[in-house]
Amino acid sequence: MSTQVPGSRSFRRAWAVLVAAIGLFQAATFVVDFDLGVSLPLHICRLTWVAVVLALWTLRPLPVALTFFWGGLLSSQALLTPSLAEDFPDPRFLAFWALHLMEVAAAVYLVGVLRLAPRWRDLVTTVAATLLWAAVAMTFNGLAGTNYGYLQRKPDGSVLDLLGPWPWYLAAELVIVIAIWALMTLAARWWSGRSPRRPVEEP
């Protein structure tokens, strides 16, 4: 009788399906209770769960890198400073916490357990993808008067208050995030080189 190993295809894909189910449920709740300022898929967390699903399903370098950088840092920050209109036990409250926790866990699993360390070019691609997202979100914000990604103004009582007024806090935030991502890349590559990778059942 074979045992299920952490790198097995069935384990990863079951996790991917669960993330997709929660993400689609969350998206459906936004469609049902539509609000132009929050319901469109222009928050980066709405892209992160898609990257997580692709990373767990395919193990391809780019989705893994996006999961590591977006899920490992940005989803962690969302958990530390949640911005929610719902309270427990609202399903949307539960979906928020479940999805963000699973994104962070996927980043740890893929890089910490399977040792799929991102390459430096994956970091560059992630920065480019993040800047593209910011350009799209800022353009829409300017046209619609919304604040996706907090790119137009800071949320009340945020740590962003320490980074100065708009638009300087955006530049400072970008520099800080890239610096942390670079340190994460160094740490991941050091960790992956300490011992052989865990056996992984390829897609």
Side-chain angles (χ1 to χ4, degrees), residues 1 10 22 24 28 70 111 117 151-152 161 165 171 177 188 192:
M1 178 177 176
S10 56
I22 297 173
L24 290 172
W70 286 352
V111 176
L151 297 174
Q152 306 302 107
D161 290 335
V177 166
S192 68

Side-chain angles (χ1 to χ4, degrees), residues 44-45 48 66-81 100 103-104 126 130 133 173 177 181 184:
I44 204 163
C45 63
T48 302
L66 292 174
T67 297
F68 182 58
F69 294 123
W70 286 352
L73 179 62
L74 303 185
S75 295
S76 297
Q77 191 272 335
L79 290 171
L80 292 173
T81 57
H100 283 75
E103 289 167 357
V104 175
T126 299
T130 305
W133 159 79
E173 187 178 17
V177 166
W181 281 349
M184 289 170 62

Side-chain angles (χ1 to χ4, degrees), residues 17-42:
V17 168
L18 181 58
V19 171
I22 297 173
L24 290 172
F25 165 78
Q26 189 181 61
T29 64
F30 285 122
V31 171
V32 172
D33 189 17
F34 185 81
D35 182 337
L36 183 64
V38 298
S39 296
L40 296 176
L42 290 174

Side-chain angles (χ1 to χ4, degrees), residues 66-122:
L66 292 174
T67 297
F68 182 58
F69 294 123
W70 286 352
L73 179 62
L74 303 185
S75 295
S76 297
Q77 191 272 335
L79 290 171
L80 292 173
T81 57
S83 179
L84 287 169
E86 300 82 24
D87 296 317
F88 180 84
D90 189 294
R92 287 170 293 185
F93 176 95
L94 298 175
F96 171 89
W97 284 98
L99 200 56
H100 283 75
L101 286 169
M102 293 180 76
E103 289 167 357
V104 175
V108 174
Y109 167 74
L110 290 165
V111 176
V113 177
L114 300 187
R115 300 180 186 272
L116 301 176
R119 302 159 297 184
W120 288 105
R121 64 176 177 268
D122 296 324

Side-chain angles (χ1 to χ4, degrees), residues 136-159:
V136 172
M138 287 189 74
T139 300
F140 183 84
N141 286 339
L143 293 173
T146 53
N147 191 30
Y148 285 99
Y150 302 116
L151 297 174
Q152 306 302 107
R153 58 189 177 277
K154 294 174 284 188
D156 295 333
S158 167
V159 69

